[in-house]
Amino acid sequence: MTDLATPVPESPTLDVAAIRMDFPILSRQVHGRPLVYLDNAATSQTPRQVIAAFDDYYGRYNANIHRGLHTLADEATAAFEGTRETVRGFLNAAERREIVFTRGTTEAINLAVNAWGRANLGAGDEVIISRLEHHSNIVPWQLLARELGFTIKVIPVDERGVLDLDAYRALFTERTRLVAVNHVSNAFGTVNPVKEMAAIAHARGALILVDGAQATPHQEVDVRDIDADFYAFSGHKVYGPTGVGVLYGKAALLEAMPPWQGGGEMIKTVSFEAGTTFAEIPHKFEAGTPAIAEVIALGEALKWVTGVGLAAIGAWEARLLAHATEGVSRIDGLRILGTAPDKAGVLSFVVDGAHSQDIGLLIDQLGVAIRTGHHCAQPLLAQFGVDATCRASFAAYNTLDEIDTFIEALWRVIGMVR
């Protein structure tokens, strides 16, 4: 049992008790104990408003979009395209046509890699990425580099998990075409200065793609203020459903890019004699029947998070992170990885003499859900001499009492495995 400091009072700008009422899953028990869900960087839980959107679509106006003339098709199309406007506002994009729906951040990055990259990269060119990246912002570039012969350069990270901006500046040459970097590290929670990084890239004639999967749940994102050329995020990280995400791209870039996938909806005309002409953006990149219900539900998730207020959510999560960091720091032999001065609600750690998988399995028996493993960030963990960490990550619905439960469970589990 820990000797915890007096908990910080809950933020007066965030009614956590009321927020929790929106999440049915939080009332369940795991192994006979109240669920404490601290795996939000992997997937956040879903409020009842998002769940209801699925029932409403499938129970009232299930139909394919854009092609039909009947009432259900009109209603489904309106709801689907309404979400596009919601996303535009959420990111402060200039136009709705700059919002492309995908299956998630991974597909969004792959779209940019294969549509923009194939058309604009060649032997001798350079793409800069960082050691903080998720595999989804590493592997697609590696695959294309192997095929086209361009070079990947890596921004180094210091012992805190902070990018070295001086080294970043030094990586640029006249052959640098694009920078691909995450806004927030999923493994360490480091918040990267993407606006400054974009300005540096643009001054050197390069574009920037930002992986925003871990930023959108925690802070307001303004793609025009950042001056991002591309920005990607996933629904299931920001209180929405799985299987849906977004690629934002500046209209001029999207217009110049060839399609990535072919099929229905993304065409204007198809002819064996004259060939195929393509639809206008964003539909040029949305081949086939999309995840209609998921897109509509994503819109509800973004309305929910905007209604609660991302500034208030970020401030509350910072309190949770500070409280958790203080608590785990009292455990002998525990080392926190990722101590950047600007962090989102992610706490990664290793414990001497204890395997992260054992900790994760045993703490689950006490009702606490955390993530263990390499978090799809193997190059980053390798720099710190580990192949896995335990990761607790926080959301708007988590409480200080849950943090205390987590820390007490961690003490108990470590006592078992050492």
Side-chain angles (χ1 to χ4, degrees):
M1 186 76 69
T2 59
D3 178 21
L4 297 177
T6 302
V8 180
E10 292 195 4
S11 168
T13 60
L14 200 67
D15 188 343
V16 179
I19 285 172
R20 289 179 66 85
M21 294 296 292
D22 280 341
F23 292 82
I25 199 170
L26 298 181
S27 64
R28 73 162 290 179
Q29 293 195 339
V30 174
H31 302 298
R33 297 172 181 268
L35 169 66
V36 175
Y37 185 80
L38 301 179
D39 192 20
N40 296 286
T43 293
S44 59
Q45 295 301 333
T46 309
R48 55 183 173 81
Q49 294 89 339
V50 174
I51 297 169
F54 282 93
D55 288 340
D56 189 41
Y57 170 75
Y58 284 113
R60 221 169 47 81
Y61 60 101
N62 177 17
N64 214 323
I65 59 171
H66 295 139
R67 308 174 189 61
L69 299 177
H70 55 81
T71 298
L72 270 60
D74 285 344
E75 291 175 352
T77 300
F80 183 93
E81 292 299 331
T83 294
R84 202 183 304 274
E85 173 59 25
T86 298
V87 175
R88 186 211 63 76
F90 184 73
L91 296 178
N92 194 32
E95 306 176 63
R96 283 193 303 170
R97 66 196 188 113
E98 295 178 320
I99 305 302
V100 179
F101 290 121
T102 66
R103 292 184 299 158
T105 304
T106 297
E107 184 173 82
I109 293 172
N110 274 273
L111 192 164
V113 169
N114 284 280
W116 181 87
R118 286 184 182 280
N120 292 277
L121 295 173
D125 288 336
E126 300 165 354
V127 169
I128 296 174
I129 62 178
S130 88
R131 190 166 289 275
L132 282 175
E133 299 312 302
H134 188 281
H135 293 166
S136 63
N137 204 21
I138 299 173
V139 178
W141 297 109
Q142 289 179 329
L143 291 172
L144 193 62
R146 186 181 304 165
E147 181 180 341
L148 300 184
F150 62 86
T151 300
I152 295 173
K153 294 183 172 182
V154 182
I155 311 167
V157 176
D158 69 16
E159 70 281 356
R160 301 168 299 165
V162 176
L163 294 181
D164 184 335
L165 290 189
D166 289 334
Y168 169 61
R169 292 183 180 91
L171 290 175
F172 284 88
T173 73
E174 69 280 356
R175 298 301 300 269
T176 304
R177 301 292 179 249
L178 181 134
V179 175
V181 65
N182 56 36
H183 198 161
V184 173
S185 164
N186 75 300
F188 286 1
T190 305
V191 180
N192 290 317
V194 291
K195 181 177 179 179
E196 182 180 358
M197 296 179 78
I200 293 168
H202 291 153
R204 301 299 296 269
L207 304 181
I208 187 166
L209 178 150
V210 181
D211 171 357
Q214 298 293 336
T216 50
H218 307 296
Q219 64 186 75
E220 294 178 354
V221 172
D222 186 329
V223 292
R224 284 191 280 178
D225 180 62
I226 296 169
D227 200 15
D229 298 293
F230 301 103
Y231 195 97
F233 75 94
S234 296
H236 71 106
K237 309 286 191 187
V238 64
Y239 307 98
T242 58
V244 64
V246 168
L247 176 67
Y248 157 82
K250 290 180 178 177
L253 291 172
L254 294 179
E255 286 176 333
M257 287 160 49
W260 176 36
Q261 296 176 322
E265 185 60 27
M266 50 77 66
I267 57 88
K268 185 179 294 181
T269 62
V270 176
S271 167
F272 285 117
E273 292 73 29
T276 297
T277 59
F278 303 113
E280 301 298 321
I281 63 170
H283 304 295
K284 178 170 68 171
F285 301 107
E286 295 177 354
T289 297
I292 301 169
E294 285 80 1
V295 167
I296 294 168
L298 171 63
E300 294 302 314
L302 298 184
K303 291 173 187 175
W304 182 89
V305 76
T306 302
V308 173
L310 279 160
I313 290 173
W316 176 240
E317 290 171 346
R319 290 184 176 222
L320 295 171
L321 177 62
H323 192 58
T325 301
E326 180 186 7
V328 302
S329 295
R330 300 181 184 188
I331 300 175
D332 292 337
L334 185 146
R335 176 166 63 110
I336 296 172
L337 280 74
T339 57
D342 191 4
K343 280 185 62 173
V346 173
L347 180 64
S348 284
F349 59 91
V350 292
V351 179
D352 291 344
H355 196 283
S356 63
Q357 185 176 6
D358 293 336
I359 293 173
L361 288 170
L362 289 171
I363 206 169
D364 175 68
Q365 298 298 309
L366 301 176
V368 179
I370 63 171
R371 177 70 48 160
T372 63
H374 55 63
H375 317 298
C376 294
Q378 288 178 309
L380 176 62
L381 296 194
Q383 176 175 323
F384 289 80
V386 300
D387 58 11
T389 74
C390 298
R391 183 186 69 187
S393 50
F394 313 119
Y397 43 67
N398 289 129
T399 68
L400 292 165
D401 286 343
E402 288 185 317
I403 301 302
D404 291 346
T405 299
F406 156 63
I407 295 168
E408 291 165 3
L410 189 57
W411 272 97
R412 183 174 171 184
V413 165
I414 290 172
M416 295 178 188
V417 298
R418 274 180 169 170

